[in-house]
Amino acid sequence: MGAAAALALTGCSEEVKRGWYPGTNETTNHSEVLTNLWVNSWIAALVIGLVAWAAMIWCMVAYRRRKNDQGFPKQTGYHMPLETMFTVIPLVLVFGLWGFTDRVQTEVDTPVDDSPLTVTVYGKQWAWDFNYEYEGQEAHYMGVQAQLDTDGNAGVQDTLPTLYLPVDVPVHFELKSRDVAHSFWIPQFLQKRDMLPGKTNHLYLTPQEEGRFDGKCAELCGEYHSEMLFNVEVVSEEEFKQQLDRMEPGLVGDEYNRNPNENPDGAREMEDDLQTPRGGGSH
């Protein structure tokens, strides 16, 4: 009886109400439009799938081989209306999906010219550096990746690099790599973008929900790729300013980059230079 009651109560939790979504529709200013595109694309795919399955089943039943049938069934070729339908309908579907996707992508990727906060994120094997430029103040955090806890002990997440963001403040992310290809991904924000050596990619969003979120690298980047995690703390603007005051002033730039073809062990040398043991910390 108690187990049944507990199961019923879990249906009222906020996580269950979200269903399959990794976040609510208010996580960022783009969450709702991205969720709608995803859900409606799945609905369209399901409808097309049901129609295709129904047509296949109907053909298998209606044109099945009867007991007294001899030889092969009559073949039909060059049926222009049928061939035209099989060409036009897929084209309409593909261009329709492309149109909706392009509209959403254009909206999401539109630059925010008056964003008061620019965060330059450097991905590196296997951690993250964060540069903050906010209303004339510059600060940085250089992360050293925490080791995986193979025993499953609690507290490992607290040692990860933390990205702080102010709620309801537009953020311009500049995404770079110090060594190999990485990918900046906050699943609950429903957006991710590649980080490529020698190239700067951009991401624009406004966090709209305070709380802690998970971040990770979504591009296989080497031996400790699975450890390349970080925390995201969306806090009030006042608390964000306090966090900036606690960080190292100034910015860290491309001087810490390395060429993996010339120096494949550069990531570990970087850690030695920082003189920070694996397990978390900043420089």
Side-chain angles (χ1 to χ4, degrees):
M1 187 66 180
L7 181 61
L9 288 175
T10 58
C12 301
S13 68
E14 186 63 31
E15 287 75 12
V16 172
K17 290 179 182 178
R18 295 179 180 182
W20 294 333
Y21 306 147
T24 67
N25 283 348
E26 294 80 28
T27 307
T28 74
N29 60 318
H30 298 314
S31 296
E32 184 173 4
V33 66
L34 290 170
T35 299
N36 290 338
L37 176 64
W38 177 259
V39 172
N40 291 330
S41 297
W42 272 105
I43 291 174
L46 179 60
V47 171
I48 295 170
L50 289 174
V51 172
W53 295 333
M56 287 188 293
I57 293 172
W58 178 77
C59 288
M60 287 187 290
V61 173
Y63 299 103
R64 69 188 186 279
R65 187 180 184 88
R66 267 65 174 186
K67 183 177 181 180
N68 298 322
D69 287 347
Q70 299 293 328
F72 294 104
K74 181 181 178 181
Q75 304 296 306
T76 301
Y78 302 104
H79 193 290
M80 289 304 298
L82 195 61
E83 293 180 11
T84 301
M85 181 185 71
F86 287 156
T87 302
V88 172
I89 291 180
L91 286 175
V92 171
L93 294 174
V94 168
F95 280 105
L97 179 60
W98 172 82
F100 286 116
T101 303
D102 181 69
R103 185 181 65 181
V104 171
Q105 184 174 348
T106 300
E107 178 180 343
V108 168
D109 289 341
T110 299
V112 181
D113 296 330
D114 58 348
S115 175
L117 172 62
T118 298
V119 180
T120 301
V121 181
Y122 283 93
K124 61 186 182 182
Q125 292 177 311
W126 290 272
W128 306 87
D129 294 341
F130 304 123
N131 280 335
Y132 299 87
E133 298 176 71
Y134 180 69
E135 296 183 344
Q137 183 177 0
E138 296 181 344
H140 71 268
Y141 171 90
M142 296 188 72
V144 177
Q145 182 64 61
Q147 285 278 17
L148 288 178
D149 191 335
T150 56
D151 297 329
N153 296 325
V156 174
Q157 188 175 27
D158 294 334
T159 67
L160 297 174
T162 298
L163 170 65
Y164 287 94
L165 299 174
V167 69
D168 295 328
V169 174
V171 184
H172 173 200
F173 288 99
E174 294 185 345
L175 307 176
K176 302 182 179 183
S177 171
R178 294 205 183 280
D179 36 49
V180 299
H182 300 285
S183 185
F184 178 80
W185 186 28
I186 305 174
Q188 289 171 302
F189 285 7
L190 306 182
Q191 292 180 255
K192 68 177 178 179
R193 191 129 305 170
D194 288 343
M195 312 170 77
L196 305 173
K199 179 178 175 60
T200 301
N201 284 334
H202 302 269
L203 199 64
Y204 307 90
L205 58 85
T206 302
Q208 296 185 162
E209 180 180 316
E210 292 189 28
R212 171 180 281 192
F213 305 96
D214 298 325
K216 61 183 68 179
C217 175
E219 182 76 26
L220 183 60
C221 57
E223 181 180 5
Y224 293 100
H225 163 69
S226 61
E227 295 184 49
M228 196 167 169
L229 310 172
F230 63 98
N231 297 319
V232 181
E233 292 280 357
V234 180
V235 298
S236 66
E237 192 168 1
E238 185 61 31
E239 183 177 347
F240 175 73
K241 294 178 181 179
Q242 295 173 5
Q243 291 293 341
L244 287 187
D245 292 335
R246 298 189 185 104
M247 297 181 191
E248 294 289 336
L251 305 177
V252 290
D254 295 340
E255 64 271 16
Y256 286 95
N257 293 359
R258 69 177 175 86
N259 186 333
N261 297 320
E262 297 177 359
N263 184 14
D265 296 324
R268 298 194 182 279
E269 291 178 3
M270 185 184 299
E271 290 181 359
D272 295 338
D273 292 341
L274 293 175
Q275 296 181 349
T276 305
R278 292 180 67 83
S282 62
H283 175 72

